Amino acid sequence: CGFVSRAAIDAVMPYTDVFLYDVKAFDSDVHQKCTGHGNESIIENLKYIDSCGKKTEVRYPYVPDFNSQETEKIGELLSGLKNLVGVRVLGYHKYAGSKYASLDMENTLPDTMPTEAELEKAKEEVKGDFAFSMDVTKPADWDKAVATIKEKYGRLDILVNNAGGGIAIKAVSRFTTEEIDDTIKLNLNSVIYGCRTFADMMKEQKCGTMINISSVCARQCWPQWSVYAAAKAGVLNFSKGMYLEMQPYN
């Protein structure tokens, strides 16, 4: 998210072609309310990266009743960047809700999900080039995604399977069947669906990168995280196999 020291940015700068950068809010008070800290350093680091001539792709998570009123201000900020290569508007979801329960905290996440029209409007206001909403646990949505990418860009160079969440964090004996299935679908199946969907496109291109985000839970487990850990361990080993399958084409 850019909430790091300038020294940390300088350390990775020589090895980075494109920075994937989250801008969650323009107003520091709004950012403070949701994340627990202001965003002054985040904004300044974004401008610094741009001034160094490095490309940046900004991801803007659109959250109703939180930052949905700031799209125009964010658009003005981003329009001043000289090396911006893309702006992605991400629709808000509720997957993080289980973390509140595991920490015995009140869930303060909004109940309202953004509509397709709201995301499209946000895309225009932040001067983005792409707004797409999908459920990664549904194969039909992946089919829609690959069709959209083919029509708009004709190819895909990088696929990042990053969607995930605890769904429920508790003793296995307390899980419902639905909670077990939902945890596996979100954290493991979605990764497999994504790689399956875009594999043939990358084979034809003879290039491309798939990045599957696992978790420390794939190697280290804690009480009440067992189902989530099983899914993330699956991601780790699936990725090893997928690498071997794709290697001859890259």
Side-chain angles (χ1 to χ4, degrees):
C1 69
F3 189 63
V4 295
S5 67
R6 185 64 56 81
I9 293 176
D10 288 338
V12 302
M13 188 88 72
Y15 311 102
T16 306
D17 296 316
V18 181
F19 283 85
L20 303 181
Y21 208 94
D22 285 2
V23 176
K24 297 182 175 68
F26 179 83
D27 185 276
S28 188
D29 290 337
V30 173
H31 200 277
Q32 173 79 35
K33 181 179 179 181
C34 186
T35 67
H37 57 75
N39 67 345
E40 290 86 357
S41 63
I42 296 172
I43 300 299
E44 289 305 311
N45 283 338
L46 175 61
K47 294 178 179 178
Y48 173 70
I49 291 171
D50 185 69
S51 71
C52 293
K54 285 294 185 177
K55 296 177 181 178
T56 306
E57 179 178 302
V58 169
R59 303 181 300 178
Y60 165 55
Y62 181 90
V63 186
D65 304 322
F66 164 57
N67 63 359
S68 54
Q69 75 282 4
E70 296 204 310
T71 50
E72 291 186 359
K73 293 181 179 178
I74 292 175
E76 292 174 3
L77 167 68
L78 300 182
S79 65
L81 302 179
K82 297 179 180 179
N83 299 289
L84 185 67
V85 296
V87 181
R88 302 292 182 257
V89 179
L90 310 179
Y92 161 73
H93 59 72
K94 303 179 183 179
Y95 292 142
S98 60
K99 295 181 180 179
Y100 284 86
S102 66
L103 295 171
D104 196 26
M105 295 174 59
E106 179 185 0
N107 188 338
T108 58
L109 294 175
D111 290 328
T112 306
M113 303 288 283
T115 64
E116 292 284 352
E118 288 174 329
L119 289 176
E120 187 63 29
K121 181 174 182 292
K123 184 205 75 173
E124 296 297 330
E125 291 180 346
V126 301
K127 299 175 175 60
D129 60 323
F130 190 49
F132 185 79
S133 178
M134 66 177 289
D135 184 339
V136 295
T137 68
K138 296 181 178 179
D141 279 16
W142 280 105
D143 293 339
K144 183 174 68 172
V146 72
T148 301
I149 293 297
K150 283 182 179 179
E151 179 181 357
K152 187 172 179 63
Y153 301 109
R155 61 182 290 124
L156 185 72
D157 296 303
I158 302 175
L159 171 67
V160 182
N161 286 306
N162 189 41
I167 302 297
I169 307 300
K170 54 188 175 182
V172 174
S173 61
R174 301 300 181 188
F175 268 78
T176 65
T177 300
E178 182 180 12
E179 288 171 337
I180 293 173
D181 291 346
D182 287 348
T183 301
I184 301 300
K185 283 192 295 184
L186 174 60
N187 293 286
L188 176 57
N189 290 14
S190 67
V191 175
I192 299 174
Y193 295 157
C195 291
R196 177 187 66 175
T197 300
F198 285 98
D200 286 342
M201 179 183 288
M202 290 187 176
K203 287 179 181 179
E204 292 174 6
Q205 297 170 182
K206 296 191 180 300
C207 67
T209 301
M210 295 177 176
I211 301 174
N212 299 330
I213 307 301
S214 184
S215 167
V216 66
C217 288
R219 298 183 181 276
Q220 176 68 45
C221 207
W222 291 271
Q224 302 186 352
W225 288 83
S226 303
V227 180
Y228 176 82
K232 288 302 186 180
V235 170
L236 182 62
N237 281 286
F238 167 78
S239 299
K240 293 177 181 178
M242 194 67 190
Y243 169 78
L244 295 175
E245 289 185 22
M246 298 297 290
Q247 193 176 29
Y249 301 93
N250 197 345

